[in-house]
Amino acid sequence: MRVAIVTGAIAPYTHRLYEAFARTHTVDLTVLVCGRIEPQRQWRVPPPEHYRLQVLSGLRRHVSYTRHVYFNPSVLTALARLRPDTIVIEDFSPTMALAAAYARATGTPYGIKTDGHRGTDPGERSRIHHGMRRLLVPSASFGICASEDSVALLEHWGLDAGRSVIVPIVTPWDAPDRVPAFTERRFDTLFAGALNEDIKGAGFFVDVVEAVVCRGLKPLVRVTGDGPLRAEMAARLARLGVTAQFDGPLQPPQMPDVYGSARLLLFPSRGDAWGLVANEAAFCGTPVIGSPQAISSQRLVERYNVGVVRPLDVGLWADAVMDMLSSEAQWHGFTARRGEVIADFSLDASVARLARALDATHDRAPPGRGP
């Protein structure tokens, strides 16, 4: 089977999934990317060994620090040359609309891969995004979804019920065999991700640290990542007299040690779809305080009891930090179920589900066509 995946850019965790899938299944996989790496990303992804990666020529419109719109007409010639049996599109940019147009014109089944949910989906607020979803989703043959919420999102936009498969997002690395105990961890709180407020809540993180200081605790803080708020965060923490280590951007193989160095991960998301840092923290036995804005908070943190979820209220978050740091026994209770998370979000499990989603396309004609 020849499969083409059309996406904005490859990420370490998607690279790992596609490598494993192409290595273990009889499939000719090509990933067509609109750009090799998005400007705000600083990770390094090794060249693929088991699938092909092709960078499409075209245009990229910079919308914000984390948002880009792609227009790559070369996707049509790339697909015509590959003649895939199945196409998977990620995102709803003009490039994806061109890929869907090729699929319709040639009778090729296509699916939509998403980790989105209605709470953060721009289709609920923008006419353009609304129109793109109405254009692309109803004609899709299947969905590849990160959660039940992603399934509901695609069905909301017109995908027939029962046509989606949940493929859990995988971490870019294997879970460590051993994780440090409470007393072995140097830092109290960790922030990991882009240092912005509108999506990641980096300013809110500092607000919580300030509230914790007002309660009599000066936590040791670690911040991993980069972004427009880095200087402001460092200055505010310094004024509070808080010792903070700013790592800057790190590569995926370094992250298990980062999570294992902290007693808590604070994940005050304001606009993530899934939120992979929750997976990574749970793999490393690091309890999470999560925001309800990220679906991983409900579907992973609460479901597996590897932390707590609180509304984005500074006082409630400060209370949770104080409570979780005050009881080593309670902390170990949150880490005790990491094995279940590792099993359910394993690479093998996701590869098997991806294969199931793609294999099912053989039995599904594109909507509006005969068998």
Side-chain angles (χ1 to χ4, degrees):
M1 180 168 61
R2 296 186 302 276
V3 177
I5 297 176
V6 187
T7 186
I10 202 76
Y13 58 93
T14 53
H15 167 76
R16 184 171 182 242
L17 175 64
Y18 299 151
E19 276 281 83
F21 173 66
R23 184 181 65 248
T24 56
H25 290 75
T26 305
V27 62
D28 181 359
L29 176 61
T30 301
V31 179
L32 304 172
V33 295
C34 301
R36 184 170 294 278
I37 190 168
E38 293 176 337
Q40 78 276 13
R41 307 294 189 184
Q42 299 186 53
W43 52 45
R44 293 189 294 271
V45 180
E49 296 180 7
H50 301 283
Y51 69 92
R52 288 187 299 275
L53 180 67
Q54 180 180 338
V55 181
L56 300 168
S57 59
L59 302 174
R60 177 184 62 83
R61 178 172 175 262
H62 176 80
V63 179
S64 70
Y65 177 74
T66 56
R67 290 182 57 220
H68 315 276
V69 176
Y70 295 102
F71 180 61
N72 304 80
S74 58
V75 71
L76 294 173
T77 55
L79 290 171
R81 185 175 59 255
L82 292 169
R83 297 180 63 195
D85 299 304
T86 303
I87 299 170
V88 177
I89 62 175
E90 301 184 25
D91 198 11
F92 296 95
S93 72
T95 300
M96 311 310 163
L98 291 174
Y102 169 91
R104 292 193 191 102
T106 59
T108 306
Y110 76 89
I112 296 177
K113 183 173 182 284
T114 183
D115 61 354
H117 61 96
R118 293 187 66 181
T120 59
D121 180 42
E124 300 288 337
R125 304 180 298 277
S126 161
R127 285 187 177 182
I128 294 176
H129 288 92
H130 179 101
M132 289 296 285
R133 284 149 178 76
R134 287 299 185 195
L135 175 67
L136 298 180
V137 178
S139 297
S141 297
F142 61 99
I144 298 174
C145 299
S147 68
E148 298 96 321
D149 305 85
S150 301
V151 173
L153 176 68
L154 292 185
E155 292 180 359
H156 169 70
W157 290 118
L159 185 67
D160 291 342
R163 286 185 173 263
S164 293
V165 175
I166 296 176
V167 180
I169 293 179
V170 300
T171 59
W173 31 264
D174 289 325
D177 293 330
R178 179 192 177 276
V179 297
F182 183 89
T183 55
E184 297 176 295
R185 301 186 181 220
R186 174 186 171 192
F187 298 97
D188 295 302
T189 60
L190 169 69
F191 183 95
L195 306 186
N196 61 58
E197 179 61 22
D198 57 329
I199 296 178
K200 299 297 185 180
F204 181 90
F205 170 82
V206 180
D207 293 341
V208 173
V209 173
E210 182 175 4
V212 169
V213 171
C214 291
R215 286 161 167 74
L217 172 66
K218 281 194 176 180
L220 294 177
V221 171
R222 187 168 191 177
V223 177
T224 295
D226 203 359
L229 289 187
R230 177 170 177 169
E232 179 183 330
M233 293 175 70
R236 288 185 61 193
L237 292 170
R239 287 195 297 269
L240 292 170
V242 170
T243 300
Q245 176 176 311
F246 282 77
D247 297 310
L250 298 179
Q251 296 305 312
Q254 299 172 281
M255 293 308 296
D257 287 339
V258 171
Y259 288 107
S261 72
R263 292 170 177 170
L264 298 176
L265 172 73
L266 272 59
F267 180 37
S269 170
R270 292 187 182 275
D272 283 271
W274 172 260
L276 183 60
V277 294
N279 302 53
E280 295 179 332
F283 273 30
C284 297
T286 305
V288 180
I289 303 177
S291 154
Q293 301 301 322
I295 290 301
S296 61
S297 292
Q298 290 85 28
R299 301 302 183 185
L300 192 153
V301 175
E302 282 189 329
R303 178 174 288 176
Y304 292 87
N305 193 31
V306 292
V308 298
V309 179
R310 295 289 183 268
L312 287 171
D313 176 278
V314 171
L316 294 177
W317 278 60
D319 290 342
V321 171
M322 297 294 291
D323 183 51
M324 295 170 75
L325 290 178
S326 67
S327 171
E328 187 174 340
Q330 181 190 94
W331 184 89
H332 280 293
F334 286 123
T335 69
R337 294 186 65 186
R338 84 176 187 106
E340 295 179 51
V341 179
I342 293 169
D344 288 353
F345 291 86
S346 70
L347 180 62
D348 289 345
S350 291
V351 166
R353 286 175 172 266
L354 179 59
R356 184 191 310 170
L358 295 174
D359 287 344
T361 63
H362 292 301
D363 303 321
R364 293 173 179 169
R369 295 180 180 268

